[in-house]
Structures are given as C-alpha cells and as structure tokens.
C-alpha cells in the first residue's frame, strides 16, 4: 500500500524540481527527502526521478509523472476526508419530496437559497407522483412533501389554491370530433380534471402524449401536438388559453399542499417548512413556474 507521506514528498520534489527546495517545503532535511524517495522507488519497483546533466535540476521519469498524478488525487481525497471528519458537527439531513412536474428551475433556486442560509443542513430530494410521495411520507422515507391534490382533502401545514385552464398551442387547430390530450400519468389530478370535464359534456377524447415532466407537457402543447390542463402560472407565451367559446368548460381549482411526516419536526425541518411557505407565497418571477400535480 502506498504511503501518503512518501507520495507527498514525491509531489513536492516534482513541483520544486529540487531536493533542497522540497526539503524546505516539507520541513525535513535533504537527506531525509532523498531517503523517502528511495524508499518509494523500492516500493513501486520503478525509478521515479532523474537529474539533468548539471546534476541540479530534478525531473520525473515517465513512471514518476504517472505516480505524481495519482498522488495528487490521493492526497486531495485524504485531505477531504480529514476536513469532513474534523467538522464540528455533522450535516443534518432533511428528505424532501417534490412532484415530478414541479418546475425544476424554481425548486432548485428555492433549495439553493435555503442552503445558503442554513449550511449545516443536507437536503435529499425525491421526485415522484403525488400519490407516491404520500406513500413515502407514510413509510417514513421522506420528511416533507409538496403534493397536488383535491382542495381540502387532508391535513397540511400550508396550502395554495391553483386556478386551472385548458391550454393549446397558439397555432393549434381545434377539431370538432375528438380532443387530443397531452397529459401527465394516471393519478395526476390535472389529468383527472381534464378527462372528467370532457366526459361530463360528452366530448370524445384520446391521449396523444404522456409525460411526467412539466416541461415535456408544455413543449408538446406549444408544438400543437395536443391540448392539456395546467395551472395558470404554468401557461407559456407559446400557449393560448381555451374557454367556453372554444367548447371547453371551466375547471375547478386544485390545491398545492405542504405536508410532513407524523411527529414533531426537528429544527432543520421547521426551518425548511418556514422557508418553503414564505418562498411559495412569493409570486413566480416567470410565467413558466407552475407547480403541477
């Protein structure tokens, strides 16, 4: 096994090009540095350094260059491990569940801002269908979750109503026979809203595109591939809203809810809950910041 102290000496000699300067850098005598290099060469069975014609300049052999490159990586990893272990306290993990069709850019920005304020916390995020997140919360696999649901369908820490709208591409041609739907997977409350509303008025429909991704649904609709139901905050400039004049009935709102696992949340969880509530209450900076499902 390679000795990190010997590897450190090798790197110093390669960097300095001199046993004398390397000895000063590692606070050892020149003879000690020379002995360490000799021992390392014996261990690996290769010549690692060579002197130039003047005998003053030291340079690595081909094997010396290779080993020095590995040595730098090993020393960096060792230093990283030492820094982590010497940290005064371990990071406090908080496991957060987020709907798969939650706007990724907005969520990343919120979590990044939270970590900047609370560097002692480690966030572990999990994405999935809202029904899956409920299940994970019940099993204790996550601590906090944002979910889409029917309004008032259970206890929560905070909730936000979301107005829904039928959406098509700006240049999309609306057929009279069958509505082509671009929707999220089964279990999505938006998908349920769309299908139930069409069934109620006796309008035929078919699913032409499915995706877990909000971005994927938005792009499919913008291209004219299909029609969907989205919160008003997720409507893009490339979209147009549809209403009664287009033959589409009004839609009741859904709800975004922040829920947590049973029991009293710890300090890190309480801080994240408070931060998310305040952040979600702020208006989105761009129109494509809808929260789906």
């Amino acid at each position: 096994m390679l000795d990190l102290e010997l590897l450190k000496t090798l790197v110093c000699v390669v960097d300095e090009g001199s046993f004398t300067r390397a000895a000063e850098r590692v606070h050892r005598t020149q003879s000690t540095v020379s002995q360490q290099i000799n021992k390392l060469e014996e261990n690996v069975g290769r010549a690692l350094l060579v002197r130039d014609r003047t005998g003053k300049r030291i340079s690595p052999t081909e094997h010396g260059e290779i080993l020095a490159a590995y040595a730098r990586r090993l020393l960096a990893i060792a230093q990283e491990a030492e820094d982590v272990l010497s940290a005064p306290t371990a990071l406090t993990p908080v496991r957060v569940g987020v709907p798969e069709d939650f706007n990724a850019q907005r969520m990343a920005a919120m979590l990044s801002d939270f970590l900047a304020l609370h560097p002692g916390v480690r966030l572990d995020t999990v994405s999935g269908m809202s029904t899956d997140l409920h299940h994970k919360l019940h099993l204790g696999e996550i601590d906090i979750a944002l979910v889409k649901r029917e309004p008032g369908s259970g206890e929560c820490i905070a909730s936000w109503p979301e107005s829904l709208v039928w959406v098509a591409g700006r240049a999309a041609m609306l057929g009279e026979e069958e509505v082509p739907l671009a929707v999220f997977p089964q279990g999505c409350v938006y998908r349920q809203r769309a299908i139930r509303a069409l069934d109620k008025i006796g309008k035929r429909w078919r699913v032409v595109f499915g995706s877990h991704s909000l971005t994927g649904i938005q792009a499919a609709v913008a291209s004219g591939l299909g029609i969907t139901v989205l919160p008003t905050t997720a409507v893009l400039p490339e979209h147009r809203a549809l209403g009664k004049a287009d033959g589409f009935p009004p839609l009741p709102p859904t709800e975004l809810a922040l829920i947590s696992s049973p029991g009293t949340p710890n300090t890190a969880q309480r801080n994240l809950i408070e931060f998310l509530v305040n952040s979600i209450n702020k208006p989105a900076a761009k129109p494509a910041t809808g929260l789906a499902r």
Side-chain angles (χ1 to χ4, degrees), residues 103 106 148 160-168 170 184 190 193 214 218 228-243 249-256 283-293:
N103 182 270
R106 186 184 183 192
K148 290 303 301 183
W160 301 265
E162 285 195 321
S163 300
L164 303 183
V165 64
W166 294 96
V167 180
R170 282 201 169 276
F184 299 102
Y190 293 169
R193 281 281 197 276
L214 171 62
Q218 288 173 320
T228 196
V229 168
L230 289 176
T232 53
T233 51
V235 178
L236 301 178
E238 298 87 351
H239 297 158
R240 64 186 175 102
L242 305 174
L251 297 160
T254 52
E255 181 177 86
L256 172 69
K286 295 182 180 180
T289 52
L291 302 172
R293 189 161 289 114

Side-chain angles (χ1 to χ4, degrees), residues 151-198:
S153 58
E155 295 183 358
C156 64
I157 299 167
S159 63
W160 301 265
E162 285 195 321
S163 300
L164 303 183
V165 64
W166 294 96
V167 180
R170 282 201 169 276
M173 300 296 293
L174 302 180
E176 297 182 359
E177 295 184 357
E178 199 172 54
V179 178
L181 292 178
V183 289
F184 299 102
Q186 291 185 0
C188 170
V189 66
Y190 293 169
R191 177 189 179 117
Q192 294 170 355
R193 281 281 197 276
I195 292 174
R196 289 173 183 173
L198 294 176

Side-chain angles (χ1 to χ4, degrees), residues 4-282:
L4 290 179
E5 284 299 321
L6 300 183
L7 293 177
K8 182 178 180 180
T9 300
L10 173 66
V11 170
C12 288
V13 175
V14 170
D15 288 346
E16 299 295 339
S18 165
F19 282 116
T20 302
R21 290 193 296 272
E24 295 173 355
R25 180 170 161 181
V26 297
H27 306 292
R28 290 185 174 89
T29 64
Q30 181 177 337
S31 61
T32 299
V33 168
S34 179
Q35 290 172 7
Q36 288 183 321
I37 294 299
N38 290 336
K39 183 176 181 180
L40 184 58
E41 289 178 328
E42 291 177 3
N43 290 344
V44 300
R46 303 285 186 177
L48 301 175
L49 300 173
V50 63
R51 295 180 182 272
D52 64 9
R53 293 182 178 180
T54 65
K56 296 181 179 179
R57 179 69 184 176
I58 305 297
S59 59
T61 63
E62 181 179 353
H63 291 106
E65 288 181 341
I66 294 173
L67 184 56
Y70 278 105
R72 295 181 198 280
R73 292 161 58 184
L74 291 170
L75 290 168
I77 292 173
Q79 184 62 54
E80 180 181 341
E82 185 176 329
D83 292 342
V84 170
L85 293 175
S86 63
T89 57
L91 295 178
T92 303
V94 179
R95 302 165 298 174
V96 187
V98 185
E100 287 184 343
D101 47 3
F102 190 102
N103 182 270
Q105 185 175 3
R106 186 184 183 192
M107 189 65 192
M110 287 193 294
L111 296 183
S112 177
D113 290 343
F114 173 79
L115 289 177
L117 295 173
H118 303 276
V121 176
R122 186 187 80 240
L123 294 179
D124 297 330
T125 58
V126 176
S127 63
M129 296 281 289
S130 290
T131 51
D132 296 333
L133 296 179
H134 268 291
H135 186 60
K136 289 181 180 295
L137 205 61
H138 178 72
L139 293 177
E141 295 179 3
I142 56 177
D143 305 308
I144 301 167
L146 283 167
V147 297
K148 290 303 301 183
R149 66 182 194 177
E150 296 291 345
S153 58
E155 295 183 358
C156 64
I157 299 167
S159 63
W160 301 265
E162 285 195 321
S163 300
L164 303 183
V165 64
W166 294 96
V167 180
R170 282 201 169 276
M173 300 296 293
L174 302 180
E176 297 182 359
E177 295 184 357
E178 199 172 54
V179 178
L181 292 178
V183 289
F184 299 102
Q186 291 185 0
C188 170
V189 66
Y190 293 169
R191 177 189 179 117
Q192 294 170 355
R193 281 281 197 276
I195 292 174
R196 289 173 183 173
L198 294 176
D199 286 344
K200 188 174 182 179
I201 62 173
K203 204 161 190 174
R204 296 174 57 192
W205 56 269
R206 63 189 174 94
V207 175
V208 297
F209 181 84
S211 175
H212 288 83
S213 165
L214 171 62
T215 303
I217 296 294
Q218 288 173 320
V221 172
S223 68
L225 183 59
I227 293 169
T228 196
V229 168
L230 289 176
T232 53
T233 51
V235 178
L236 301 178
E238 298 87 351
H239 297 158
R240 64 186 175 102
L242 305 174
K244 288 184 178 180
D246 304 295
F248 290 89
L251 297 160
T254 52
E255 181 177 86
L256 172 69
L258 180 63
I259 57 180
S260 66
S261 57
T264 304
N266 60 33
T267 301
Q269 293 167 2
R270 289 198 303 271
N271 288 337
L272 179 58
I273 288 169
E274 180 180 356
F275 184 87
L276 288 176
V277 170
N278 292 333
S279 297
I280 294 174
N281 281 334
K282 295 178 182 178

